[in-house]
Amino acid sequence: MDGIKKTVESIVLDPQLADLLAIVKGARNGFTYGAKIRFPHALVMVFLFRSGTLREKLQIVLKATFQHARNLATFATLYKTMLLFLRTTSPESKESSSHTFLSGLVGGYIVFGRGIQSSVNQQIVIYVFARVMLSLARLSVQKGGAIPRELRERVTNNAWPVFAALSWASVMWLYRWHPDTIQPSLKSSMKYMYARPILPMFSFKGLGITYPDPYTIRRMLTIFVIQIYRLQSLGLF
């Protein structure tokens, strides 16, 4: 046992294998992160909005979790492999900004761009796209940019309120008049909030006090517990 441990340690600490081990580590971390993120989310969405037996629901949850974890692991492997290839074949043997862009381009196309994509892949790409746009918006108003100082301050102070208002105005308009164009999970959430019948209630007659029925209370508690688990898995709670 000690011999195996020493062999593993010598491999891990070998500087000549650092690049290859970085690829393996990226794949492992991608799979772990994908599973931690997708499992609680899929659990909530499936048990709230999907019909079927308990076994069928669990199969859907595990399938979505595996897809998310596998795709992030595959992308991390392709990205780091491509990055290593570009760096070692460049004349300076150094990483440049074009290397990261090209590596992400190849990995993104192979994992998330080819063929008919699952809802899991669509959600991942939409998540990334939204944050890329936010980062680019921040980058555009950083000091030293082409935007004049007064205009930059005005945009910085007012961009988010305008963006938030237009986003909600647009999604409500789309949901009301073009619901088929909305991403399925968002559509399910909005249908639950805005088109669902009034929750059944029970009341103490004569006192004017009403409470959610036991079924609704159980669902609320389930959502609460799962969201706490999700926050803990992200290290936020």
Side-chain angles (χ1 to χ4, degrees):
M1 190 67 181
D2 291 338
I4 296 177
K5 184 178 179 180
K6 290 181 180 179
T7 302
V8 173
E9 288 180 351
S10 64
I11 294 175
V12 172
L13 297 177
D14 189 347
Q16 295 181 348
L17 299 176
D19 291 330
L20 295 178
L21 291 175
I23 297 174
V24 176
K25 184 179 179 180
R28 181 204 64 185
N29 292 349
F31 192 91
T32 302
Y33 182 78
K36 290 173 65 175
I37 291 297
R38 176 57 58 172
F39 180 76
H41 176 269
L43 198 63
V44 171
M45 299 302 292
V46 169
F47 277 83
L48 281 180
F49 304 119
R50 291 290 188 94
S51 58
T53 64
L54 177 62
R55 182 177 181 179
E56 291 173 341
K57 291 182 177 181
L58 289 176
Q59 287 177 341
I60 295 174
V61 171
L62 294 177
K63 181 181 178 180
T65 301
F66 176 74
Q67 286 181 350
H68 198 140
R70 179 197 61 195
N71 291 348
L72 289 187
T74 304
F75 176 83
T77 302
L78 291 172
Y79 172 77
K80 284 186 171 292
T81 302
M82 188 69 180
L83 201 62
L84 176 61
F85 171 77
L86 292 173
R87 188 177 74 243
T88 54
T89 56
S90 65
E92 300 83 7
S93 296
K94 294 181 180 180
E95 180 181 330
S96 67
S97 60
S98 62
H99 293 169
T100 55
F101 184 86
L102 289 174
S103 299
L105 185 70
V106 171
Y109 173 74
I110 293 176
V111 179
F112 300 106
R114 295 187 304 170
I116 299 175
Q117 295 298 321
S118 65
S119 60
V120 171
N121 272 9
Q122 291 178 0
Q123 290 169 7
I124 294 174
V125 173
I126 292 171
Y127 177 92
V128 172
F129 174 79
R131 279 145 185 81
V132 168
M133 291 297 102
L134 184 60
S135 296
L136 291 177
R138 289 173 175 169
L139 188 63
S140 67
V141 294
Q142 284 184 352
K143 293 182 178 180
I147 301 178
R149 180 174 176 275
E150 293 183 0
L151 179 59
R152 182 171 64 242
E153 291 179 353
R154 187 180 304 173
V155 171
T156 302
N157 295 332
N158 299 286
W160 181 259
V162 173
F163 170 73
L166 288 177
S167 296
W168 278 100
S170 300
V171 76
M172 298 311 299
W173 180 81
L174 287 169
Y175 172 71
R176 178 65 180 85
W177 301 108
H178 304 279
D180 294 337
T181 63
I182 298 178
Q183 202 270 342
S185 63
L186 176 59
K187 182 179 177 181
S188 297
S189 300
M190 298 189 71
K191 184 177 180 181
Y192 182 84
M193 288 188 290
Y194 304 114
R196 194 166 181 263
I198 298 175
L199 294 174
M201 310 287 281
F202 65 86
S203 62
F204 293 102
K205 294 182 179 180
L207 297 179
I209 302 176
T210 59
Y211 297 95
D213 67 357
Y215 173 73
T216 302
I217 293 175
R218 287 197 301 269
R219 297 189 74 173
M220 293 169 63
L221 290 175
T222 301
I223 295 173
F224 176 77
V225 172
I226 292 175
Q227 292 299 333
I228 290 297
Y229 168 80
R230 186 182 184 188
L231 292 174
Q232 288 178 333
S233 68
L234 293 174
L236 300 176
F237 184 83

